Amino acid sequence: MAHFDTEYQRLEASYNDSPPGEENLLVHVPEGSKSQWHHIENLDLFFQRIYNLHQKNGFTCMLLGEIFELVQLVFVVAFTVFLANCVDYDILFANKLVNHTDSAKVTLPDAFLPVDVCSARIRDNVFVIFILVISGVFWLHRLVKFIYNICCYWEIRSFYINALKLSMADLPYFTWQEVQARIVEIQKEHQICIHKKELTELDIYHRILRFKNYMVAMINKSLLPIRSRLPFLGDVVFYTRGLKYNFELIFFWGPSSLFENEWSLKTEYKRGGSRLELADRLSSRILWIGIANLLLCPVILIWQILYAFFSYTEVIKREPGSLGARCWSLYGRFYLRHFNELDHELMSRLSKGYKASSKYMNCFMSPLLTVVAKNVVFFAGSILAVLIALTIYDEDVLAVEHVLTSITLLGVCITVCRSFIPDKHLVFCPEQLLKVILAHIHYMPDHWQGNAHRYETRDEFAQLFQYKAVFILEELLSPVITPFILIFCLRRKSLEIIDFFRNFTVEVVGVGDTCSFAQMDVRQHGHPAWMSAGRTEASIYQQAEDGKTELSLMHFAITNPRWQPPRESTTFISQLKEKVQREAACGQQGVLHENHILTSTQSESEPHSLIANLLAGPPPLGSLHLGRDASVSNHAVDVGLMEGTSALRSFSPLSGSQHLRGSFASTRLPRGDGAGLVGGRAMAGSGADARTASSGSSAWEGQLNSMVLSEYASTEMSIHALYIHELHKQQSRGQLSRHTWHRRDSDESSEGAPDDNEGLRNFPRSNTFPCATTPHQEGAMLHNTGQRRYGGTTESVSGGLRSAPRLPRIPMGGWAEEAQAGRHHDPVPEEDELPPHIQKVT
Amino acid sequence: MNCRSEVLEVSVEGRQVDEAILALLHTILLHRSTGKFHYKKEGTYSIGTVGTQDIDCDFIDFTFVRVSSEELDRAIRKAVGEFKEALSNSGSDGMGQISLEFYQKKKSRWPFSDECIPWEVWSIKVNVVNLANEQERQICREKVGEKLGEKVINIVEVINRHEYLPKMPTQSEVDNVFDTSLKDVQPYLYKITYQITDSLGTSVSTTVRRLIKDTLAL
């Protein structure tokens, strides 16, 4: 056998089989247990609790608040029972004499009945026992809930501390947007939601506001029977907390409600097949709940009365005027709420509009009442004066029976009457006030515009902004009326409700079933009269009323700058912003001179009302930029908006925060609006903003910055809301009504305006041009040389400034008259006649 | 809600029910099982091996792969058997749903019991058909086999996606993620539940439980 000498040979190294399952196996390192926050079961509740804890300023505040609420409850019941059973009123009113040996003084303890008498009285009174049992059950329920909540929120607290790295002490100084940003951040690491790698702001909002969005949509589509026409009272809106509670019980979480759990609608409601049968079932359920309400009515009623009595009497005693004060009604809060708007956002918006709103309501003083009130004040005042004078002369007058009472009553009477007498030195301009209000509340019916001075408008506004007294009264009546609304009105709507939930529920991956309106999709729910013409594919049934989709989209995009909207929404937003920006840039040229007026008014008015003034109409929007530019030493006259803003940045003491905002979204042009506005305000000497810049690199700076940022955002939103409304108005209605005009007009006429600006200045402000000019891209579409309405002078002056001629926008109807009207007014009107800030053109 | 859910639908003849369901459940579990973990001192672990086994169906032209663990097979067969029985006893048109739910446990503080939070639910909707003659049965045999093949590919596709899975636990927590009771294989914690169409509405106990929870959460 031949011997081959090859390189192939036996491996000498010892090859020993390692025992199975030892060293050579792959070794893994477990990664679990790093966080307990991955994969949370009920994200809806989780996010809601995070939000609540944030709104209640941390765990301790919340704990204390809840404990006090429990104590309050015991106190209310115990004190009422005590007052009713254990006080000898005869002694208190001195109808019966106390047989004291040492002194004649009656002390409070004398008026108390002895314990055994007292308890015997309580025991004999079935009604009191009944109340005690009911409130005992109620209190126990609250106690159990409290303990349960504490356990849950303890978990949330540790989530804040361990996962979000926010200590409870710092929590009040963080805005919700910051907390939210951290949640989005930790999703990447912990995966609290397992469907997606990343969580968006919209997801969080959807989960927190799932049911609120449904309610807002239902009110927007007037599905709920809260509006009724009564024989004597006219149009009445009745929407109380009790009613709202019942609606939510029926739709969302009550036994056999439409929702299977927090996040999904029951499948049978998603299919159209058995809608009639489902409607029947719903209506019988509503009937039962209505009957239950009816049965419980006495209990709830007693509770409401007691509660109202103890929470409001103290306030009324302290300041009797507070009943005459107003508050935003519950209906108003839903009518004015955007889709995806959290409570604190809504409340801050409404609070900002409060002052202007109450001013507006005060415009409407009945002259008749004023005359009567003046005389009542005169007579009551004389008597009061005499009584007081007598008292001062000799204190014993007070001891005479009923003198103290009459002094008090007369005082109250005078206070009440005073509120009917208007301040002599005030001038009101309802239209302008309504604009300021609109800038904050963002929604109003179309027919208010131009009718601000009418009583109908006022009455309708009063539905949103009611007297506190009316609010309390409605709450008191609610237990009685609610069952009837449920049984007689809501039941009739059951088929519509079923259809609503079927048609307007979409399932979003990672969120569950949400109201499709809350997607803020202009294509699906846009309204052609609200800027989404051409984009929307919605039928009338699907369109959200009052431009809710569009405004909500804007609002959400502005409050959450990091949110990436879907493509179509992005184009909508960017186009709108572009338009606003261009307008501002154009207006800037046009109202150059107004700057001086503004600066002069600035000095005499407080900064906030300045903003309000500025916001009163789109032309001031332009002038605002101008005011800013001028204060930056006029070098930005024909610079674009962005440049102007950046120039401002370098000048403004606010530069730090400006840059911060810039870094938030530097590509978003209209940031400039907000920045400019607040810049102007800072110029006017707003202390808080200046402090931002001056304070060092403390943690506070970050907080303040973010607060200032949210301020910017709300201002920016105001501008956009006004703009959208303005556009809508011009689009849907050809004619404008002139409205009253006051002070600024005269200011302006007294101001010598530079001649070369004359033409330009007139043009954006003339209200006699009924129709807006279009933004350029639309202008190209609608282009029609026959409609060119501006004189040669305007063109020649403005030609260089505007890239395209301004064209009238074609309205939905009435195009012919409008064109005519436009031509009719073609000669530029005298400027003194023009109310300066009505129609800012688009 | 915070869990994925996949729905599979099959329509089979009465005697094919258990094999079809077993095929699907075993396919899912094959991908959702690992070998036993052997923890070592430094907090690391190694994974044992898992054997696989081909199973031929009697009434369907189909062969599937399952983990070769008798214990696991027995547990699943038991659940499927119950389902089949309930299905045949229901007397209705033979619709039912059996779901395989993977969950993880979360330890919670004293007053509450441990939470079981599902992260993936596979629902198999079964529709039982009645066949008239032998020829139809023959056709059905092949067709169901093809359908099951498609479903298996579906399942594999879903499982292949890069999606959330519970993180690998440390020794102390292994019971919260994996079912460690079996001696040769270690699937993720799972639960098999079934519903017959008649009672598809939520049962009374869940409603009551929800009611209490809702009142508390008010």
Side-chain angles (χ1 to χ4, degrees):
Chain A
M1 205 166 172
H3 180 80
F4 294 109
D5 189 23
T6 63
E7 289 180 7
Y8 185 80
Q9 55 188 347
R10 186 165 176 261
L11 192 64
E12 287 305 325
S14 69
Y15 180 79
N16 48 350
D17 259 345
S18 61
E22 287 308 316
E23 305 82 41
N24 288 354
L25 287 179
L26 207 54
V27 169
H28 305 265
V29 181
E31 46 182 340
S33 88
K34 258 189 273 176
S35 82
Q36 55 179 128
W37 303 113
H38 63 98
H39 183 210
I40 282 145
E41 189 189 16
N42 192 340
L43 272 178
D44 279 43
L45 263 184
F46 186 70
F47 285 146
Q48 270 163 26
R49 286 184 181 144
I50 291 180
Y51 179 68
N52 282 343
L53 198 64
H54 175 259
Q55 288 307 300
K56 298 214 169 122
N57 298 319
F59 190 73
T60 327
C61 290
M62 195 172 141
L63 188 73
L64 268 184
E66 298 224 342
I67 289 177
F68 277 124
E69 236 171 74
L70 283 176
V71 174
Q72 223 177 31
L73 219 82
V74 175
F75 176 79
V76 166
V77 174
F79 193 53
T80 321
V81 171
F82 173 79
L83 282 185
N85 294 295
C86 300
V87 177
D88 192 344
Y89 288 95
D90 283 340
I91 292 182
L92 214 56
F93 299 146
N95 295 340
K96 197 165 84 181
L97 281 181
V98 200
N99 41 354
H100 267 298
T101 45
D102 43 352
S103 75
K105 289 232 164 141
V106 180
T107 53
L108 266 184
D110 290 334
F112 300 157
L113 291 172
V115 181
D116 47 337
V117 178
C118 187
S119 55
R121 276 177 73 166
I122 292 176
R123 242 176 282 130
D124 295 344
N125 196 336
V126 183
F127 182 66
V128 174
I129 301 277
F130 175 68
I131 287 190
L132 280 180
V133 168
I134 296 264
S135 38
V137 170
F138 186 71
W139 193 80
L140 276 182
H141 165 245
R142 289 282 291 264
L143 184 72
V144 172
K145 214 174 90 180
F146 165 75
I147 294 168
Y148 177 79
N149 269 343
I150 291 304
C151 296
C152 296
Y153 280 98
W154 185 259
E155 204 126 295
I156 301 294
R157 177 182 172 273
S158 53
F159 176 75
Y160 263 109
I161 293 173
N162 300 326
L164 297 183
K165 308 262 182 286
L166 275 175
S167 75
M168 281 295 118
D170 288 341
L171 194 57
Y173 311 113
F174 278 83
T175 60
W176 171 248
Q177 307 303 334
E178 285 169 301
V179 173
Q180 192 176 259
R182 289 192 189 210
I183 297 176
V184 171
E185 199 58 41
I186 66 151
Q187 157 74 3
K188 289 175 193 148
E189 181 191 336
H190 296 264
Q191 244 191 340
I192 38 183
C193 172
I194 65 163
H195 287 91
K196 297 174 161 187
K197 280 262 164 310
E198 290 186 19
L199 212 57
T200 68
E201 285 86 353
L202 191 61
D203 291 345
I204 299 178
Y205 271 70
H206 270 333
R207 280 179 183 277
I208 297 177
L209 294 169
R210 193 189 303 270
F211 297 147
K212 289 239 170 74
N213 280 332
Y214 271 110
M215 291 303 270
V216 171
M218 278 194 274
I219 291 204
N220 183 260
K221 297 298 286 179
S222 322
L223 187 65
L224 297 178
I226 50 176
R227 211 174 249 289
S228 51
R229 187 168 278 283
L230 293 180
F232 297 107
L233 300 167
D235 236 355
V236 177
V237 171
F238 184 84
Y239 192 46
T240 58
R241 279 181 293 190
L243 197 54
K244 179 176 151 231
Y245 181 85
N246 273 295
F247 285 157
E248 285 170 355
L249 180 87
I250 291 167
F251 301 142
F252 303 127
W253 56 265
S256 64
S257 63
L258 307 190
F259 273 74
E260 196 175 350
N261 40 34
E262 267 96 352
W263 49 81
S264 62
L265 195 64
K266 283 181 185 152
T267 36
E268 62 256 42
Y269 290 95
K270 290 182 188 167
R271 288 189 229 109
S274 52
R275 56 193 277 269
L276 293 174
E277 183 200 326
L278 289 174
D280 274 351
R281 231 200 291 167
L282 180 68
S283 110
S284 69
R285 230 163 58 73
I286 294 173
L287 179 67
W288 284 114
I289 290 182
I291 290 173
N293 261 288
L294 207 57
L295 293 180
L296 287 177
C297 161
V299 180
I300 308 172
L301 191 65
I302 289 167
W303 172 252
Q304 288 274 24
I305 290 172
L306 286 186
Y307 188 78
F309 179 75
F310 286 105
S311 34
Y312 297 115
T313 33
E314 191 270 336
V315 179
I316 293 168
K317 213 166 52 207
R318 196 154 30 93
E319 34 181 341
S322 69
L323 276 191
R326 287 173 176 274
C327 61
W328 295 99
S329 69
L330 196 62
Y331 167 71
R333 281 177 207 186
F334 275 89
Y335 174 77
L336 299 174
R337 193 173 193 142
H338 293 291
F339 294 122
N340 299 315
E341 184 175 34
L342 288 171
D343 291 340
H344 72 279
E345 292 165 353
L346 177 74
M347 284 328 289
S348 78
R349 198 153 71 79
L350 293 185
S351 309
K352 279 179 196 156
Y354 183 86
K355 223 172 166 180
S357 306
S358 40
K359 221 168 155 188
Y360 173 74
M361 294 310 275
N362 286 341
C363 292
F364 295 87
M365 291 285 182
S366 151
L368 193 78
L369 261 184
T370 308
V371 174
V372 174
K374 269 184 184 161
N375 285 292
V376 171
V377 167
F378 173 74
F379 292 118
S382 337
I383 300 171
L384 184 65
V386 170
L387 283 180
I388 289 177
L390 285 176
T391 315
I392 291 170
Y393 179 70
D394 190 343
E395 277 178 16
D396 285 341
V397 177
L398 279 182
V400 177
E401 202 175 15
H402 295 317
V403 166
L404 195 61
T405 324
S406 24
I407 288 182
T408 320
L409 284 183
L410 286 171
V412 170
C413 172
I414 290 173
T415 329
V416 169
C417 288
R418 280 255 172 80
S419 64
F420 291 109
I421 304 173
D423 189 343
K424 258 184 248 166
H425 309 291
L426 279 183
V427 184
F428 290 119
C429 173
E431 197 75 32
Q432 192 192 0
L433 272 173
L434 208 59
K435 275 245 167 74
V436 178
I437 297 169
L438 178 63
H440 294 297
I441 66 175
H442 300 172
Y443 292 101
M444 63 169 63
D446 293 343
H447 56 271
W448 287 8
Q449 297 239 11
N451 288 327
H453 54 283
R454 300 177 63 154
Y455 254 90
E456 291 86 350
T457 310
R458 179 205 170 273
D459 288 344
E460 278 177 34
F461 188 63
Q463 289 173 350
L464 307 180
F465 194 60
Q466 60 188 175
Y467 279 115
K468 190 115 194 182
V470 176
F471 173 76
I472 297 171
L473 195 73
E474 279 185 358
E475 287 297 328
L476 287 183
L477 285 179
S478 154
V480 184
I481 299 180
T482 302
F484 294 101
I485 292 189
L486 290 182
I487 294 175
F488 295 111
C489 305
L490 189 65
R491 273 178 66 208
R492 259 184 268 144
K493 299 247 181 185
S494 54
L495 187 60
E496 283 174 60
I497 292 168
I498 296 283
D499 285 343
F500 179 90
F501 276 95
R502 192 184 60 248
N503 290 324
F504 297 121
T505 297
V506 285
E507 198 178 334
V508 182
V509 179
V511 181
D513 291 335
T514 52
C515 183
S516 64
F517 284 106
Q519 295 286 326
M520 303 180 294
D521 187 346
V522 173
R523 195 163 51 94
Q524 271 182 21
H525 294 297
H527 197 296
W530 289 90
M531 303 207 39
S532 35
R535 280 191 205 92
T536 174
E537 292 165 10
S539 64
I540 292 176
Y541 179 57
Q542 289 169 327
Q543 290 159 4
E545 308 300 323
D546 302 314
K548 201 126 197 162
T549 315
E550 291 80 2
L551 279 162
S552 300
L553 178 63
M554 268 329 280
H555 177 262
F556 193 79
I558 286 174
T559 40
N560 296 284
R562 280 192 256 186
W563 176 58
Q564 294 286 328
R567 199 170 48 81
E568 281 181 41
S569 307
T570 318
T571 52
F572 176 81
I573 294 169
S574 58
Q575 277 181 18
L576 176 62
K577 290 197 162 183
E578 207 177 310
K579 281 181 202 168
V580 172
Q581 188 205 354
R582 187 175 297 133
E583 262 335 295
C586 292
Q588 181 181 340
Q589 313 296 332
V591 278
L592 178 61
H593 75 289
E594 222 175 333
N595 163 38
H596 303 295
I597 302 151
L598 276 169
T599 39
S600 64
T601 42
Q602 266 176 31
S603 52
E604 63 202 38
S605 61
E606 68 213 278
H608 281 281
S609 70
L610 167 74
I611 292 187
N613 274 330
L614 293 181
L615 286 174
L621 162 68
S623 61
L624 166 72
H625 292 288
L626 193 75
R628 181 204 65 217
D629 285 338
S631 46
V632 188
S633 77
N634 267 338
H635 79 256
V637 173
D638 50 3
V639 194
L641 183 68
M642 275 316 282
E643 284 150 282
T645 317
S646 57
L648 172 76
R649 264 182 210 162
S650 56
F651 271 76
S652 158
L654 272 170
S655 48
S657 52
Q658 301 265 4
H659 285 304
L660 201 99
R661 188 171 184 78
S663 66
F664 256 67
S666 53
T667 49
R668 297 158 64 105
L669 294 178
R671 282 288 162 225
D673 299 346
L677 188 69
V678 181
R681 187 175 132 202
M683 302 292 171
S686 168
D689 295 351
R691 199 173 56 208
T692 323
S694 58
S695 71
S697 60
S698 64
W700 265 97
E701 188 173 22
Q703 316 307 342
L704 259 174
N705 272 340
S706 67
M707 309 255 171
V708 173
L709 291 193
S710 67
E711 195 62 28
Y712 288 166
S714 82
T715 316
E716 192 181 339
M717 183 57 211
S718 299
I719 292 170
H720 281 90
L722 281 175
Y723 181 83
I724 292 175
H725 271 274
E726 208 61 34
L727 204 68
H728 168 68
K729 182 165 113 191
Q730 286 155 5
Q731 205 174 16
S732 56
R733 211 164 32 145
Q735 298 116 359
L736 301 165
S737 57
R738 274 183 88 96
H739 60 80
T740 44
W741 168 243
H742 67 119
R743 209 166 73 196
R744 201 185 282 179
D745 192 17
S746 52
D747 270 335
E748 198 173 316
S749 50
S750 66
E751 182 92 79
D755 276 349
D756 54 347
N757 278 323
E758 193 84 26
L760 268 176
R761 189 154 47 116
N762 284 329
F763 124 29
R765 279 185 277 125
S766 76
N767 73 333
T768 39
F769 289 137
C771 211
T773 53
T774 50
H776 308 133
Q777 61 269 53
E778 272 166 62
M781 214 165 61
L782 304 171
H783 194 83
N784 180 348
T785 43
Q787 299 307 328
R788 197 171 285 202
R789 62 165 67 141
Y790 295 106
T793 39
T794 318
E795 278 304 355
S796 64
V797 180
S798 62
L801 307 172
R802 277 178 233 102
S803 54
R806 298 178 152 255
L807 293 169
R809 189 186 185 86
I810 300 177
M812 303 311 282
W815 161 243
E817 304 94 72
E818 213 206 307
Q820 223 172 19
R823 269 196 289 277
H824 180 254
H825 289 287
D826 211 357
V828 179
E830 290 300 307
E831 84 116 352
D832 281 355
E833 286 174 14
L834 293 174
H837 60 155
I838 304 165
Q839 281 315 296
K840 169 65 176 175
V841 279
T842 54
Chain B
M1 148 71 194
N2 205 359
C3 86
R4 291 187 294 270
S5 69
E6 308 287 340
V7 181
L8 306 166
E9 281 184 56
V10 288
S11 26
V12 292
E13 210 200 337
R15 54 188 182 149
Q16 296 171 325
V17 169
D18 46 357
E19 282 185 339
I21 295 172
L22 273 179
L24 295 175
L25 292 185
H26 266 306
T27 310
I28 299 165
L29 274 167
L30 172 69
H31 297 281
R32 291 282 182 236
S33 303
T34 64
K36 298 289 280 183
F37 284 6
H38 302 282
Y39 284 93
K40 302 185 179 168
K41 279 178 221 115
E42 313 87 62
T44 58
Y45 62 93
S46 58
I47 304 178
T49 51
V50 183
T52 56
Q53 195 175 347
D54 280 7
I55 304 292
D56 297 322
C57 300
D58 293 335
F59 301 106
I60 313 172
D61 284 348
F62 189 65
T63 304
F64 63 90
V65 186
R66 71 163 169 86
V67 174
S68 63
S69 158
E70 288 309 318
E71 275 179 278
L72 186 65
D73 188 46
R74 226 176 296 135
I76 297 199
R77 267 180 201 284
K78 189 164 160 270
V80 172
E82 280 171 21
F83 172 65
K84 193 185 175 190
E85 200 164 314
L87 199 61
S88 54
N89 288 345
S90 72
S92 63
D93 49 352
M95 287 268 279
Q97 175 176 326
I98 183 163
S99 351
L100 173 60
E101 178 182 303
F102 292 101
Y103 63 94
Q104 57 191 128
K105 278 194 225 158
K106 199 169 256 187
K107 292 255 183 289
S108 46
R109 232 167 276 104
W110 159 71
F112 308 103
S113 54
D114 284 359
E115 283 178 283
C116 296
I117 307 174
W119 50 271
E120 193 175 60
V121 178
W122 296 85
S123 313
I124 304 171
K125 288 190 175 161
V126 184
N127 186 17
V128 181
V129 291
N130 290 316
L131 298 176
N133 52 41
E134 197 55 41
Q135 198 190 351
E136 278 183 18
R137 287 208 179 103
Q138 208 53 45
I139 297 171
C140 181
R141 208 183 145 88
E142 285 168 27
K143 248 179 41 196
V144 171
E146 276 170 33
K147 274 269 146 52
L148 284 182
E150 282 170 29
K151 300 285 176 217
V152 168
I153 292 176
N154 270 353
I155 292 170
V156 175
E157 268 172 9
V158 169
I159 285 175
N160 256 343
R161 281 186 218 143
H162 195 70
E163 277 179 317
Y164 175 85
L165 285 177
K167 301 231 167 80
M168 288 303 144
T170 52
Q171 189 159 15
S172 56
E173 288 174 334
V174 71
D175 286 333
N176 292 345
V177 178
F178 289 103
D179 181 355
T180 48
S181 60
L182 308 175
K183 62 177 188 299
D184 43 5
V185 68
Q186 182 178 290
Y188 282 100
L189 281 174
Y190 68 92
K191 201 162 37 182
I192 298 178
T193 51
Y194 60 85
Q195 271 179 328
I196 307 300
T197 314
D198 296 344
S199 55
L200 263 184
T202 43
S203 63
V204 182
S205 69
T206 51
T207 318
V208 171
R209 205 161 0 116
R210 266 209 65 223
L211 204 64
I212 293 169
K213 229 177 168 181
D214 284 340
T215 7
L216 285 176
L218 265 185

